[in-house]
Amino acid sequence: MARPGYRLFAAASWGLIFVAVLHTIGHFAGRPTDPAALKAFAAMASYRLELPLGMHPTILDVFRDLSLTMAITLAGLGLQNVVVGRLAGASPLLMRGLAGTTSLVLGALLGLKAFYRISPPLVLVAVVEVLFLFAWVRLGSERTVGRQEKQ
């Protein structure tokens, strides 16, 4: 029988991985054809930064790097939660701590996405955030903690 709150925690964790996959698909999807967007991308590709170690990435390189960094980070966070959640000795208290810290991270991301008005990740991350918050509440119930202590 599944531990109380585990299904929500697992669904939220797999949800993070799903969002990461969608973000990666979006990253590699077709390039814009709008003339204004093409001009902006050309400007990003033409301006180089002077960074330490003799590196000179373009603004477009940085943009692409940050896009993939988001996907890797979300996938890593989700995978980490899945692994810990599946450990035989994973207590509701540990899983509640992970649900809480993941909720804090996602809350910061939601704030950032709202501030910059980037709707696709805002909506998807918000759904996953709600699942983690419900898991956090469920894993912290007295009934759940009491069952863990009796085992």
Side-chain angles (χ1 to χ4, degrees):
M1 187 167 161
R3 298 174 295 252
Y6 173 76
R7 285 192 181 127
L8 284 169
F9 182 81
S13 298
W14 283 109
L16 273 180
I17 294 168
F18 180 68
V19 172
V21 168
L22 290 178
H23 198 277
T24 304
I25 290 168
H27 175 87
F28 290 109
R31 298 289 175 227
T33 57
D34 174 45
L38 290 173
K39 185 176 178 181
F41 272 84
M44 289 170 53
S46 67
Y47 185 80
R48 294 198 170 271
L49 299 170
E50 297 290 328
L51 298 181
L53 304 175
M55 295 184 179
H56 308 286
T58 66
I59 296 293
L60 186 56
D61 293 334
V62 173
F63 172 81
R64 289 178 176 158
D65 173 75
L66 291 174
S67 175
L68 290 174
T69 296
M70 168 122 171
I72 291 167
T73 301
L74 291 177
L77 191 57
L79 184 60
Q80 170 187 275
N81 286 347
V82 167
V83 169
V84 172
R86 288 187 180 265
L87 292 175
S91 70
L93 189 61
L94 173 62
M95 290 170 54
R96 185 171 199 256
L98 284 172
T101 54
T102 303
S103 290
L104 288 174
V105 170
L106 295 181
L109 281 175
L110 284 172
L112 191 64
K113 301 307 172 197
F115 181 80
Y116 287 108
R117 299 172 310 278
I118 304 173
S119 59
L122 176 71
V123 171
L124 293 172
V125 171
V127 170
V128 175
E129 170 77 335
V130 168
L131 290 174
F132 272 115
L133 288 172
F134 280 136
W136 181 77
V137 168
R138 182 71 175 113
L139 289 163
S141 70
E142 288 182 37
R143 193 175 72 187
T144 301
V145 174
R147 281 187 196 163
Q148 183 65 22
E149 290 172 357
K150 290 178 185 176
Q151 291 180 355

